[in-house]
Amino acid sequence: MRGIYFLSVVLLIVLTACSAGTANDTNQIQLLNVSYDPTRELYRDVNERFSRQWLAKTGQHISIKQSHGGSGSQARAVIEGLRADVVTLALGYDIDAIHKRGKKLGSDWQTRLPDNSSPYTSTIVFLVRKGNPKNIHDWNDLIRSDVQVVTPNPKTSGGARWNYLAAWGYVMDRELQGNWNKLNDPSAIEQVAEAQAKAEQFVAALYRNTPVLDRAARAATNTFAQRGIGDVLIAWENEALLAIKELGDQHLELVAPSSSILAEPPVAIVDTVVDRKGTRQVAEAYLQYLYSDEGQELVANHYFRPRNQAVMNRYPNTFPVLRLFTINEVFGGWQKAQAEHFADGGRFDRIYTVAKG
């Protein structure tokens, strides 16, 4: 099978950008980018292009290494001592955890770069077998008794948390007809409570249809695309499009639901590491490169949605049009979502216990 689908290994480190110098050269800089699963191919190309540009500009060679795994697991590794110069994770909560628990970067990390330090976005879609034999078109189809769903574990995978919140938000969007103001309207308390009860029932039914929870997004893609398990994969949009590219549209196809969540994967410098190593300048330039015209083109070529609208407009047939809601609108941000849904004993734990009980 093709190379992108080997099983994920947390803390797999791949040397992706090397030049003529050796590790002992005084003018060679080494960076470590600790990222989440679906960005492997994106940063392989980013590293190559950026290192070439930096060499031409400064005469310095850069060796950039990558580490990939579930976003939550990667955050914990950095907290426990993995010396990342930069982190490019699936959700803001994981970088907040590095700040709060590891004390390795400032509380203002998300204001240092444009768009809340998220140079690209994505959303959650469905990947199905060619011809869509189970006629899966929207979220409601995922809770039918004849449908088997593949999605990773929200306790270890940032992508899985986005999947969960997208499913929950779909029900809330439907029940509240997109009027998110009702969530803070005292006169709508009963309607909101009823919508939340329906969302919980819906998500429980979805997990009843899920035979296994892989640790990370790429592992779930392997389970579906390589091992042939399941009728539908809930996936990052870029991961679904990449799977179709690699395995061929004669095997798989993408289905865009009627609505989904706007996923904003953030990036940040790990202050304690770059200051100790003296790599702040190059680390800052590395993340700023993602916002450049060239960086945004690479983002789009790897099926992430670029922030630059002019670049986005050049890909009218790549990204499906669907209604997108945000985590702030539906859940009040990542801190509230994490505490309510994914903390030990939270909604996910209760839902999954019921679903598998």
Side-chain angles (χ1 to χ4, degrees):
M1 302 297 279
R2 297 202 178 188
I4 72 160
Y5 290 106
F6 47 78
L7 290 175
S8 301
V9 178
V10 175
L11 307 185
L12 171 68
I13 298 178
V14 183
L15 181 63
T16 56
C18 51
S19 303
T22 69
N24 295 322
D25 287 344
T26 58
N27 69 333
Q28 177 161 311
I29 300 171
Q30 294 185 346
L31 294 181
L32 174 60
N33 174 6
V34 173
S35 194
Y36 66 109
D37 259 338
T39 63
R40 298 170 188 271
E41 294 74 27
L42 168 63
Y43 282 109
R44 178 193 62 206
D45 286 353
V46 166
N47 295 349
E48 180 183 349
R49 297 282 189 90
F50 174 76
S51 61
R52 189 188 311 154
Q53 183 185 99
W54 187 261
L55 177 63
K57 179 180 178 181
T58 68
Q60 292 177 317
H61 297 285
I62 303 178
S63 171
I64 306 175
K65 295 181 180 180
Q66 295 174 220
S67 170
H68 294 275
S71 186
S73 300
Q74 294 290 77
R76 285 192 294 275
V78 174
I79 291 168
E80 292 168 4
L82 182 63
R83 296 182 63 191
D85 296 86
V86 300
V87 287
T88 57
L89 297 177
L91 45 103
Y93 177 82
D94 287 334
I95 301 182
D96 279 337
I98 296 171
H99 159 64
K100 291 180 178 179
R101 293 168 52 197
K103 308 299 183 185
K104 295 176 182 291
L105 68 165
S107 60
D108 65 340
W109 68 267
Q110 206 158 16
T111 66
R112 297 179 185 177
L113 290 168
D115 301 309
N116 292 320
S117 290
S118 298
Y120 44 82
T121 68
S122 190
T123 189
I124 303 304
V125 298
F126 308 148
L127 192 64
V128 299
R129 311 293 175 194
K130 183 64 177 179
N132 196 3
K134 290 296 182 75
N135 284 317
I136 294 167
H137 300 289
D138 211 342
W139 289 99
N140 278 341
D141 296 314
L142 273 56
I143 63 172
R144 296 193 335 242
S145 60
D146 65 326
V147 171
Q148 194 176 67
V149 177
V150 176
T151 183
N153 188 340
K155 304 293 276 192
T156 56
S157 166
R161 278 174 271 178
W162 284 115
N163 293 356
Y164 171 105
L165 297 177
W168 185 283
Y170 160 76
V171 178
M172 298 296 292
D173 188 28
R174 182 189 64 195
E175 295 298 315
L176 301 181
Q177 298 181 326
N179 186 355
W180 303 117
N181 291 328
K182 289 184 177 181
L183 293 172
N184 299 308
D185 182 355
S187 67
I189 290 177
E190 291 186 4
Q191 184 183 2
V192 170
E194 183 178 349
Q196 289 176 330
K198 290 182 178 179
E200 185 162 323
Q201 293 168 3
F202 178 87
V203 174
L206 188 154
Y207 280 102
R208 270 195 294 274
N209 286 351
T210 305
V212 62
L213 294 179
D214 288 299
R215 287 188 58 84
R218 181 56 60 85
T221 304
N222 291 340
T223 294
F224 182 77
Q226 261 195 308
R227 298 169 59 195
I229 294 174
D231 302 301
V232 55
L233 172 71
I234 307 177
W236 289 92
E237 178 181 59
N238 69 289
E239 188 81 345
L241 290 168
L242 182 61
I244 293 170
K245 175 185 176 182
E246 291 295 318
L247 295 182
D249 58 10
Q250 69 272 24
H251 299 292
L252 303 168
E253 61 185 75
L254 183 147
V255 172
S258 60
S259 66
S260 192
I261 197 165
L262 177 66
E264 299 180 286
V267 302
I269 289 172
V270 182
D271 293 314
T272 58
V273 173
V274 298
D275 288 341
R276 187 183 308 120
K277 292 174 58 181
T279 54
R280 178 176 288 275
Q281 181 183 11
V282 65
E284 287 177 347
Y286 178 71
L287 294 186
Q288 289 164 356
Y289 173 80
L290 297 170
Y291 291 87
S292 69
D293 289 347
E294 183 176 85
Q296 291 284 285
E297 284 287 350
L298 286 177
V299 162
N301 286 334
H302 287 279
Y303 306 118
F304 288 94
R305 296 183 177 221
R307 288 291 195 176
N308 186 319
Q309 192 58 47
V311 175
M312 182 71 169
N313 291 342
R314 291 199 279 273
Y315 296 82
N317 300 318
T318 299
F319 303 105
V321 177
L322 67 163
R323 174 177 168 78
L324 296 175
F325 47 81
T326 70
I327 189 169
N328 289 335
E329 287 174 326
V330 187
F331 303 96
W334 264 114
Q335 291 297 326
K336 288 184 177 180
Q338 176 70 26
E340 179 179 349
H341 292 272
F342 307 118
D344 290 343
R347 283 189 184 268
F348 170 74
D349 286 346
R350 298 196 301 271
I351 286 171
Y352 194 70
T353 299
V354 170
K356 298 302 181 182

